Amino acid sequence: MPKPRTQTQTYYLLSLGCSKNTVDSESMAQLLGGSGYRGVEEPARAGVLIVNTCGFIGPAKQESVNALRELADAKKPGQLLIAAGCLSQRYGIELTKQVPGLDGIIGTRRWMDIVDLVQRLRARPYPEPIYHLPESAAVGADEHGVSRTAVQGASAYLKIADGCRRPCAFCAIPLIKGTAVSRPIKAVVSEAKRLEARGLKELVLIAQDTTDYGHDLGLKEGLSELLERLTAEAPGIPWIRIMYAFPGYVTDRQIETMARHPQVLHYLDMPLQHGHPATLRRMRRPANIDWVHNTIGKMRSAMPDLAIRSTFIVGYPGETEEEFQTLLDFTAELKFDRLGAFTFSFEPGTPSEPLGDPVSPEVKDERLARLMEQQQRLSLAKNQLQIGKTLNVLVEGKGDGLSLGRSYRDAPEIDGMVIVEGDLPVGEIVPVRITGAMAYDLTGAVDAAPARVVSRPITLAA
Ligand code: SF4
């Protein structure tokens, strides 16, 4: 009979994947902290090792498996290794074949049961892995007494919903997370007020699809209603940023709300995935290209300084050179301020599985390079238009007489930076006169005069 393990109230939590996973990691850390566990930086010093995995696409999955294997190889007697997150939800018990030495597996839909799982693992008589993957579980809208945010300096990701009901053929998220579940407006607003009281400067609203916020709460314009409440009840937060908008669901009211409220940044992240209607139809994505042009046109006329970010997939099954060229022309014409791109990742179990993966890796990589080369030129040209302007910059770091920050045009972790001369107060927003432009970043110096936000009243189309 093996000797029962010692209780060591420390944990090491590695968070991989997207900002939504980061929020789940923060919530798990709060639950563990609330049960007397202390977080440590070095895995060797922890009693419990947790990896909050990503299960979205091939490279991200491999990164998660590698991280788990590394911890499993170095695991000491008495240490517990738990795989949490999307990879666990997607592959469940199968994961033990890829990562021998796993003690526990908990799905992304049950992050709130992490303490219970650790205690069950501690109490188990035999070293059999424990799987906590209740099939029926939907992602929880309820809070479990913890915040659904991830604070990074003066900025915080605020999760407003989880799961997704869109039919995108290449995407495993609906498989992993289930359908979209919105958090009650009251819960989101009270969380924002708590962050306001802490002096946070930026709220980054996240979900798989923020434009679908509130549909399950019976709200037709849920995101606009939420923005109205946030700006009315948390006026002290200077910046509110919207990520992950779904094409076809950015409404006139949302545009009007963004343009009317100075707190709501003139920035929108709207993954479009492609620019050719035939490719979009095969992706089971909105294929109305005119809608994209019209809506971006409307947004730019309401907010002339609008910064748009989008994301694209190259090498999707059946993508011809002609379809790819259309994507190049589409992005060249719309001139996105920020653009991310990925090569298609074949994902078993998704609706695109029957299409296989016919585009060769060489062609995928070559198309990715061509798209990003073009975007580098476009981004530089966009950045050069900022020279001479004064932008408000949220200072996030400093050293060697320089400070680093982000303007309204830069979402955390994925967009550019502004490099400013001088030692500026970290966590503060300062007006910066832009003096130089690089492909993705800007340079500047503190400006005495505050930055001007440019908005025009929107005339709603008949
Ligand atoms: S909107 Fe589409 S791509 Fe995004 S999470 Fe939902 S199914 Fe996936």
Side-chain angles (χ1 to χ4, degrees):
M1 169 84 90
K3 200 162 63 48
R5 282 179 176 56
T6 54
Q7 281 277 359
T8 51
Q9 298 290 104
T10 56
Y11 68 91
Y12 166 80
L13 201 168
L14 175 63
S15 188
L16 300 174
C18 67
S19 52
K20 287 145 278 189
N21 237 23
T22 312
V23 169
D24 290 354
S25 298
E26 287 282 328
S27 301
M28 286 194 279
Q30 282 173 46
L31 290 170
L32 288 161
S35 303
Y37 284 82
R38 183 170 53 79
V40 293
E41 299 296 315
E42 302 101 61
R45 292 183 41 235
V48 183
L49 306 165
I50 305 167
V51 178
N52 196 13
T53 62
C54 176
F56 186 38
I57 55 174
K61 294 191 286 185
Q62 196 52 54
E63 182 196 16
S64 295
V65 169
N66 295 348
L68 286 165
R69 282 186 180 145
E70 207 180 304
L71 291 170
D73 294 347
K75 199 173 78 168
K76 293 189 286 187
Q79 283 189 310
L80 295 174
L81 177 58
I82 297 172
C86 294
L87 196 68
S88 303
Q89 186 76 46
R90 191 167 176 190
Y91 294 102
I93 298 170
E94 290 301 304
L95 211 44
T96 52
K97 294 194 187 114
Q98 297 188 59
V99 186
L102 265 180
D103 298 288
I105 294 179
I106 182 167
T108 185
R109 303 185 194 185
R110 298 310 301 172
W111 54 268
M112 61 291 289
D113 300 342
I114 188 67
V115 174
D116 172 60
L117 177 63
V118 171
Q119 284 159 353
R120 284 164 56 204
L121 285 168
R122 286 265 175 252
R124 66 189 166 160
Y126 299 103
E128 292 305 311
I130 295 180
Y131 312 114
H132 187 60
L133 299 156
E135 270 312 310
S136 59
V139 286
D142 48 19
E143 324 285 297
H144 287 258
V146 292
S147 78
R148 302 298 281 133
T149 62
V151 175
Q152 299 179 341
S155 180
Y157 291 114
L158 176 51
K159 189 181 270 195
I160 64 174
D162 211 348
C164 189
R165 63 182 177 125
R166 306 298 179 199
C168 311
F170 52 80
C171 184
I173 298 287
L175 291 174
I176 296 170
K177 296 257 182 182
T179 192
V181 177
S182 304
R183 299 176 62 202
I185 283 196
K186 193 163 164 290
V188 176
V189 170
S190 67
E191 195 127 66
K193 289 165 85 166
R194 277 201 295 276
L195 294 167
E196 179 191 36
R198 285 176 58 182
L200 265 284
K201 298 290 190 296
E202 178 183 34
L203 277 187
V204 184
L205 304 185
I206 58 171
Q208 267 71 34
D209 171 3
T210 52
T211 39
D212 200 31
Y213 175 76
H215 92 278
D216 54 325
L217 305 174
L219 305 174
K220 197 162 169 311
E221 293 268 6
L223 183 57
S224 297
E225 284 191 38
L226 177 62
L227 291 170
E228 299 283 1
R229 290 280 302 275
L230 287 171
T231 50
E233 299 181 44
I237 296 184
W239 287 3
I240 298 175
R241 188 183 300 274
I242 303 168
M243 305 298 288
Y244 308 105
F246 193 78
Y249 291 82
V250 177
T251 64
D252 288 350
R253 176 163 171 203
Q254 189 191 326
I255 297 171
E256 193 274 333
T257 306
M258 288 178 73
R260 185 157 43 82
H261 291 287
Q263 278 176 276
V264 182
L265 293 175
H266 293 179
Y267 175 100
L268 187 70
D269 166 48
M270 182 168 66
L272 291 164
Q273 307 302 0
H274 212 279
H276 193 295
T279 323
L280 286 164
R281 275 191 288 276
R282 289 197 307 280
M283 286 178 167
R284 301 190 189 176
R285 296 271 303 182
N288 181 343
I289 299 297
D290 292 343
W291 179 93
V292 177
H293 284 277
N294 294 344
T295 301
I296 291 180
K298 244 189 255 175
M299 286 199 278
R300 283 176 170 160
S301 91
M303 300 168 274
D305 60 346
L306 179 78
I308 298 197
R309 172 185 181 81
S310 193
T311 308
F312 297 92
I313 293 175
V314 300
Y316 190 74
E319 186 189 59
T320 60
E321 177 53 30
E322 183 264 335
E323 288 180 6
F324 176 69
Q325 188 54 52
T326 302
L327 171 59
L328 278 182
D329 299 345
F330 174 77
T331 51
E333 192 181 342
L334 283 168
K335 296 184 175 49
F336 296 96
D337 300 78
R338 309 297 184 201
L339 185 149
F342 301 88
T343 56
F344 170 69
S345 173
F346 175 73
E347 292 302 326
T350 61
S352 72
E353 182 175 1
L355 303 176
D357 192 5
V359 180
S360 73
E362 295 72 29
V363 170
K364 285 182 189 174
D365 292 344
E366 183 255 348
R367 287 178 181 169
L368 182 65
R370 284 162 64 192
L371 179 60
M372 293 318 290
E373 256 159 54
Q374 174 182 276
Q375 179 57 25
Q376 199 170 29
R377 291 193 299 276
L378 294 168
S379 179
L380 175 60
K382 281 263 180 175
N383 275 359
Q384 283 166 338
L385 295 174
Q386 305 304 315
I387 295 176
K389 289 185 182 169
T390 297
L391 300 179
N392 283 333
V393 170
L394 173 55
V395 181
E396 297 191 306
K398 60 184 176 181
D400 305 333
L402 291 176
S403 298
L404 270 186
R406 290 180 291 112
S407 77
Y408 77 93
R409 305 173 69 246
D410 310 306
E413 301 179 284
I414 53 175
D415 290 334
M417 301 293 289
V418 184
I419 303 155
V420 192
E421 296 157 25
D423 239 0
L424 305 178
V426 172
E428 293 304 321
I429 294 177
V430 297
V432 171
R433 189 159 191 80
I434 303 303
T435 54
M438 291 167 274
Y440 300 115
D441 304 323
L442 297 172
T443 61
V446 175
D447 189 346
R452 236 163 34 82
V453 175
V454 191
S455 286
R456 284 208 205 98
I458 179 178
T459 43
L460 290 179

